[in-house]
Amino acid sequence: QVHVVDSGGDSVQAGGSLRLSCEVSGNLYTTNCLAWFRQVPGKEREGVATLYSTDLKNPDYAESVKGRFSISRDSGKMAAYLQMDNLKPEDTATYYCAAHDHHRQYCFITDERFFPYWGQGTQVNVSS
C-alpha cells in the first residue's frame, strides 16, 4: 500500500511564489518517479513536472511552467517539492502529486496513465 499526501496550496497574487510538498509512504520501490499534475474544473488534468529518483538532473516540465517552476526531491525521505515562482492567474488549479515505481522511461509529464498513486490535491489560486 502506498499513500501520497500533497500540501502547500494557497491563494497568492500574480508574481508571487508558493512551494508545494509531497510525501509518500508505504511500499514504493526506491527507484521511482514523483510528479506534479494539475487540473482546472472542466478541463483535463495536465502534467506539470516529473523527476525520477536516479535521474535527478533531468526533470521534465510542461512548456507553460519552464523557467518558473522547479521540482526537487528529498534524498533522505520519499518526498518531492514544487517551487512555483512568478505565478500567473492561469496557474490556478488543483495540484496533485503522483508516484509510480515503473521504469524511468515512463517518467514524463505525458505519462499520467502510468501513475497509480495520487495525493488528494491541493488548491492553488492566483489572482491578478
Side-chain angles (χ1 to χ4, degrees):
Q1 189 77 4
V2 175
H3 192 49
V4 180
V5 177
D6 41 39
S7 62
D10 205 343
S11 296
V12 297
Q13 289 191 329
S17 297
L18 281 175
R19 186 176 188 245
L20 305 184
S21 298
C22 171
E23 293 203 10
V24 180
S25 59
N27 297 324
L28 194 71
Y29 285 122
T30 54
T31 51
N32 56 71
C33 179
L34 299 184
W36 289 97
F37 293 80
R38 66 185 181 186
Q39 188 170 26
V40 175
K43 293 188 177 181
E44 290 188 356
R45 189 159 49 191
E46 64 170 344
V48 175
T50 66
L51 191 57
Y52 201 74
S53 58
T54 58
D55 195 11
L56 298 179
K57 293 185 178 181
N58 291 294
D60 189 34
Y61 292 104
E63 284 295 326
S64 60
V65 307
K66 281 183 179 178
R68 300 187 298 120
F69 290 12
S70 177
I71 186 171
S72 61
R73 297 183 55 145
D74 187 324
S75 60
K77 57 182 179 179
M78 197 78 71
Y81 308 96
L82 186 67
Q83 177 66 38
M84 304 187 295
D85 298 321
N86 190 22
L87 282 160
K88 302 177 180 181
E90 52 263 43
D91 295 319
T92 294
T94 302
Y95 285 71
Y96 298 90
C97 181
H100 75 59
D101 49 16
H102 302 307
H103 193 273
R104 165 68 179 97
Q105 70 188 75
Y106 303 119
C107 188
F108 294 94
I109 59 168
T110 54
D111 290 329
E112 180 181 342
R113 65 194 181 280
F114 293 103
F115 289 85
Y117 311 115
W118 292 82
Q120 77 284 359
T122 186
Q123 183 66 35
V124 172
N125 294 312
V126 185
S127 59
S128 57

